[in-house]
Amino acid sequence: MPPSTQPAQTFLSDVSSLRERTRQHIATGGMSQTYDGDVEAAIDILQAVLATEIVCFLRYTQHSIVARGIAGEAVKAEFAAHAQEEQAHVMLVAQRICQLGGIPDFDPKNLLSRSASSYATAMDLVDMITENLVAERVAVAHYRELARYFSDTDPTTRRMIEQILAAEEEHASDMADLLVRQNG
């Protein structure tokens, strides 16, 4: 049939029915009954992402304070900038956990067991940069997997993960560049 004579496809259900179904499930908060994913699994995964981002924030913060040496000030500034970005990721993830009906777990005793990243301190700039590069590469690989996991069932979480992934890729690139400069 020519396009003008094709029957119109229904995009949404009848709006009054949609409103009524929504009212019936109002107690579930911001999540609607049309959420396609496993909410509990999503929250558990995001608790691990939250822990990873907190650990990265703490590591970068500690490194930004203790970095020393001729190139120390420039590297400290880079570490501090990354710490701020990691803190912003923490807030994004914590807010998403709340949107899904969970409570973000900031308990320090739970962080390292859930984090994909490790917390490593060092006194040498090259060791600090290396630890951060390794952590960023782990985060990048992990977040790529998570973007695929959420791809069809939770586009909001997928987009958030992809946004964080892009920043982590940039952090890894920055750390690789710093490592090359330090090893001169």
Side-chain angles (χ1 to χ4, degrees), residues 90-111:
V90 166
M91 296 304 292
L92 282 173
V93 175
Q95 289 165 356
R96 184 62 182 153
I97 290 169
C98 285
Q99 290 168 353
L100 292 170
I103 298 172
D105 184 356
F106 283 85
D107 189 334
K109 71 178 180 235
N110 299 330
L111 294 178

Side-chain angles (χ1 to χ4, degrees), residues 1 14 16 18 23 27 35 45 62 81 108 131-133 144 153 155 160 166:
M1 276 190 251
D14 160 23
S16 59
L18 182 61
R23 288 187 186 284
Y35 182 81
I45 289 167
Q62 195 266 353
E131 286 302 323
N132 287 308
L133 178 56
R144 281 188 183 137
T153 59
M160 180 195 67

Side-chain angles (χ1 to χ4, degrees), residues 75-150:
V75 174
K76 284 172 88 157
E78 189 74 27
F79 289 160
H82 287 209
Q84 287 178 347
E85 291 173 14
E86 301 295 354
Q87 185 177 25
H89 299 164
V90 166
M91 296 304 292
L92 282 173
V93 175
Q95 289 165 356
R96 184 62 182 153
I97 290 169
C98 285
Q99 290 168 353
L100 292 170
I103 298 172
D105 184 356
F106 283 85
D107 189 334
K109 71 178 180 235
N110 299 330
L111 294 178
L112 287 177
S113 65
R114 287 193 334 259
S115 175
S117 182
S118 60
Y119 181 85
T121 59
M123 293 306 293
D124 176 78
L125 280 181
V126 170
D127 292 341
M128 288 179 198
I129 295 166
T130 300
E131 286 302 323
N132 287 308
L133 178 56
V134 168
E136 294 296 356
R137 285 184 175 170
V138 167
V140 164
H142 186 60
Y143 294 169
R144 281 188 183 137
E145 290 176 2
L146 294 181
R148 285 190 294 275
Y149 174 83
F150 287 113

